Amino acid sequence: MKAAPDIAPPWRMPLLALGFACLLAGVGAGLFRLGWSVPLFSAQQVALHGPLMVSGFFGTVIALERAVALARRWAYLGPLASGLGGLALGLGVAPAAGQLLLALGSLILLAASLHVYLRQRALFTFTLALGAACWAVGNLLWLGGLPVPAVVPWWAGFLVLTIAGERLELSRFLPPSRTAQRLFALIVALLVAGMGWSAMSSKAGDMLLAAALVALALWLLRQDIARRTVRQAGLTRFIAVCLLSGYGWLAVSGVTILGAAGLEPGSMSYDAALHALMLGFVFSMVFGHAPIIFPAVARFAVPYHPVFYAPLALLHLSLLVRMLGDAAASPAWRSAGGLLNAAALLAFILVTAGAAGLRAVRSSAEKP
């Protein structure tokens, strides 16, 4: 039977828009929790900052990227479900409905990831599938009644393993040795064990998870081709700077957990560790890959410009301010850092959209 063809790029745009709507809702909830007066879509939005960012935004964008790579219509049901689920949560619809849609979206991403793995059995496709499985486990446990802090390790594992798997895939240009690949597999195993153990409110699990994060950061810093491409120019160098700085934040997250002897929800160290991971590590990857991902998903070019460094620099500065506030137990500094976090994300969106729009205008002007 002939497989259903892929969908046209214009039909992917609403799915991408759903993801960014969840980002807007998640950032708004985060700012409100830090004491800033921002408009909200609903009262329940405040308590859902984490789910909106991880499952609503990142989950939708990653599922959309995977669907484009797989080129199967059924795979697009994943980002559709997760995007609608995040939107439902943000708008104040019954939480169970949003949670159910997020769980469905993650299960479809898992099915798509397993499909890819069965077509190409490799360590990187296995890692990507394992990351999707972590997201599904976290969403199902949350749907089953577990509180958000109990499933955060699974959601963190989803993002970390997805990025690690994608970087391992690109390492084919400078293949790691067999020993390095075995070490990578061991680190992944420890990471998954730490996630499961940490999710059971185990301090020992927190420490194992933290140690695995630091080990993975060191592995990526040593093995990633970015160590060499950072010496080049233009977009290639910008991507490398994003990657290497992101790996630094990944290590900072793990070291912060180790220094605090665990993850205590609501503590300053909890805020510092999670935002070093989710903002410093994950968004550095997003900033670096946006000029590649958006053209692949939406078929519009995002030409590189040196101004791309401005949102990246602001992201790092904002995190330093926030973490200084956490270290000094200063709500004012942490709140200021949070506002700068949001400004960095807004600057990234504006710069990316501006570069794409300028390219479109120039292309139209060049046509006869």
Side-chain angles (χ1 to χ4, degrees), residues 4 71 100 160 202 217 268 288 323 344 348:
L100 184 60
V160 170
S202 166
M268 292 292 186
M323 294 193 72
F348 158 70

Side-chain angles (χ1 to χ4, degrees), residues 294 300-303 308 350-363:
F294 288 146
F300 60 79
V302 183
F308 282 8
L350 293 177
V351 166
T352 303
L358 184 60
R359 176 59 178 270
V361 169
R362 287 177 175 174
S363 297

Side-chain angles (χ1 to χ4, degrees), residues 13-73:
M13 294 304 294
L15 301 176
L16 193 60
L18 281 174
F20 276 92
C22 293
L23 174 64
L24 176 64
V27 170
L31 288 175
F32 192 90
R33 292 170 65 170
L34 289 172
W36 296 104
S37 180
V38 294
L40 298 176
F41 297 118
S42 68
Q44 80 174 20
Q45 180 185 341
V46 179
L48 298 173
H49 167 65
L52 286 167
M53 295 296 291
V54 176
S55 289
F57 174 62
F58 288 125
T60 299
V61 172
I62 291 171
L64 177 57
E65 182 188 4
R66 198 71 48 83
V68 171
L70 189 59
R72 295 290 186 272
R73 286 182 177 176

Side-chain angles (χ1 to χ4, degrees), residues 231-318:
R231 302 168 190 167
Q232 299 182 22
L235 178 60
T236 302
R237 182 174 188 174
F238 173 71
I239 293 174
V241 170
C242 289
L243 293 171
L244 296 175
S245 59
Y247 300 154
W249 283 114
L250 179 62
V252 167
S253 177
V255 169
T256 301
I257 299 172
L258 291 171
L263 276 170
E264 185 64 36
S267 66
M268 292 292 186
S269 60
Y270 185 85
D271 179 83
L274 284 189
H275 286 87
L277 176 65
M278 303 294 186
L279 276 173
F281 174 55
V282 180
F283 267 106
S284 289
M285 303 297 113
V286 173
F287 283 19
H289 288 96
I292 299 173
I293 294 174
F294 288 146
V297 171
R299 294 292 189 269
F300 60 79
V302 183
Y304 166 77
H305 190 280
V307 76
F308 282 8
Y309 281 99
L312 180 66
L314 183 56
L315 176 70
H316 296 326
L317 173 64
S318 69

